[in-house]
Amino acid sequence: MDFLGFERQDGRVGIRNWVGVISVQDNVNPVTRSIVRSVNGTIPITTLFVRGQYAQDLKIAYDTLGGLGSNPNIAAALVVGLEQTSAEDVASRIRKTGKPVEIVLIQDAGGTIAATCEGTRKALRLVRSASAARRRMCPLSSLTVGVECGGSDTTSGIASNPAVGRAADRIVAEGGRVIISETSEFFGAEQVFAKRAVNEAVRRKFLDAVLGWEQLAMSYGVDIRGTNPVADNIRGGLTTIEEKSLGAMAKGGSTPLVDVLSYSEAPLKPGLHFMATPAPAVESMTGLAAAGCQMILFSTGVGNPSGAMVSPTIKVTGNRQTLNSGFADNIDFDVSDILEKGRGVPELGDELFAYAVEVAAGSLTASEILDQRETAISRFQPTI
Amino acid sequence: MSRSIVLDKTDNVATILDATRASCECVLQGARTGRIVALADLPFGHKVAVLSIRAGESVIKYGQSIGRATRDINIGDHVHIHNVESLRGRGDLGKQEK
């Protein structure tokens, strides 16, 4: 099956055609935002920290910023830095895609006013050039789709996650890639999910990621209850992390697990992947977007409004209470008929898949229209 | 009549689809049929016991253990954090043993 997408220089396909204005570190975010406010067609890819990060964390930060800029939804990138070396670390990663990359440096420009002026002019030119791109028919096999959940409750595991899982199966059947993440949301479900690994090496890698993460959590000597499941999950009826995990796993559908990825790592094979990420949605989705996901299917129960900045995020719920509240404004796809009318998961999942193809072709999601989008890159070490 | 759904035939809990007041009946659907009488107010999305569960036994949903009963649970009881505990990510347990 085909959809209308933007073919990029590296052969990948975008579902949007934005110019990304990318902060190299937190101290340039205000300039990034000023440029984006002045130039239609741009999106801000801001970040916290980075300056003073080192070793593994610095690599994660640069790989993630580089991955977000390399995402095919980004037609061209304007990298905003304080100084040359760190800006080049990010820009060089994006240039590998062949897309246009410009840099503006606040120290070299001579302060934030001059940098905003220079950046605005560069962004104008990038948008003018990007706007010449036209959508063409592209195969669905060019899609990489993240599956995520947030604001979960018991309806997530019974309705919205299985519907997302069905849509994920359809994407895999088309030859695309699907990535499920959120390591702690496999605690208690890992043995069931591990059976789907294509071979022993993938099975071991998956179990090591989940059990190693649990050991790390336990090393602090505390009970993770209250953090995961969190208070709103518990009000929604989820009692334990095991229950939440067994429901969360359904987002991965039913296809074999072909590989395990680290945070922001791009998948190389068609099929279902697991990415080791922290559970909170903004942080997890940032890793998925940096890995090249053009889109994220996001299941929610009691309600979570977050969208990824670079990856249009389809919010799906099966909770009629959420749909009957004002939160319906933040929801893109209603699967409540599964619980309310006994409609089948495959039927609703197929409709969700068809809607996802429409979003790939340009239909806008609530988090894009309302700009409920954010970026957060994982960090695991202190800043020096 | 309020509804609740059982996901697997081995489950000992059902998920409430319509909030149910104490002493009201709730009809089971999904992997099990029949009716149970709620012994407590049961909010939408919360769980009700469809079998009696003794303290220390596993609470089963999706055909899998979702934790351990911390006290005896009767058919119709609300099943939640007041009578079930997680067995995963429990760094606090290791600390007590030391």
Side-chain angles (χ1 to χ4, degrees), chain A residues 215-299:
Chain A
Q215 283 304 315
L216 179 71
M218 289 171 67
S219 71
Y220 295 110
V222 296
D223 180 354
I224 64 166
R225 286 178 296 181
T227 298
N228 207 348
V230 70
D232 54 320
N233 299 152
I234 293 170
R235 278 194 292 275
L238 289 172
T239 304
T240 64
I241 185 63
E242 294 95 312
E243 181 184 13
K244 189 176 176 185
S245 297
L246 288 160
M249 182 181 75
K251 301 192 300 291
S254 61
T255 61
L257 175 68
V258 301
D259 210 350
V260 174
L261 307 169
S262 58
Y263 188 83
S264 293
E265 185 183 358
L268 299 175
K269 305 167 190 170
L272 176 67
H273 294 69
F274 166 75
M275 179 185 287
T277 74
V282 176
E283 190 177 356
S284 176
M285 289 195 293
T286 298
L288 295 172
C293 289
Q294 296 103 321
M295 183 196 300
I296 293 170
L297 302 179
F298 190 118
S299 157

Side-chain angles (χ1 to χ4, degrees), chain B:
Chain B
M1 179 67 70
S2 67
R3 306 161 298 153
S4 67
I5 185 165
V6 180
L7 302 177
D8 187 275
K9 60 184 189 305
T10 62
D11 289 0
N12 50 22
V13 293
T15 303
I16 296 291
L17 299 181
D18 304 292
T20 308
R21 303 300 299 241
S23 80
C24 291
E25 272 199 336
C26 184
V27 62
L28 300 177
Q29 59 185 56
R32 205 179 266 276
T33 55
R35 283 157 195 243
I36 45 171
V37 176
L39 298 181
D41 287 350
L42 302 168
F44 171 77
H46 285 229
K47 291 175 293 300
V48 61
V50 298
L51 296 173
S52 54
I53 308 167
R54 301 189 67 104
E57 287 181 349
S58 291
V59 176
I60 309 290
K61 181 182 169 187
Y62 301 108
Q64 303 286 329
S65 172
I66 62 163
R68 181 167 62 194
T70 53
R71 60 180 81 160
D72 289 346
I73 300 172
N74 294 312
I75 295 172
D77 270 337
H78 185 204
V79 178
H80 206 16
I81 54 174
H82 61 285
N83 54 15
V84 184
E85 67 173 353
S86 171
L87 300 175
R88 300 297 299 268
R90 293 292 303 274
D92 58 320
L93 295 178
K95 209 173 182 184
Q96 284 162 11
E97 282 159 17
K98 278 173 197 164

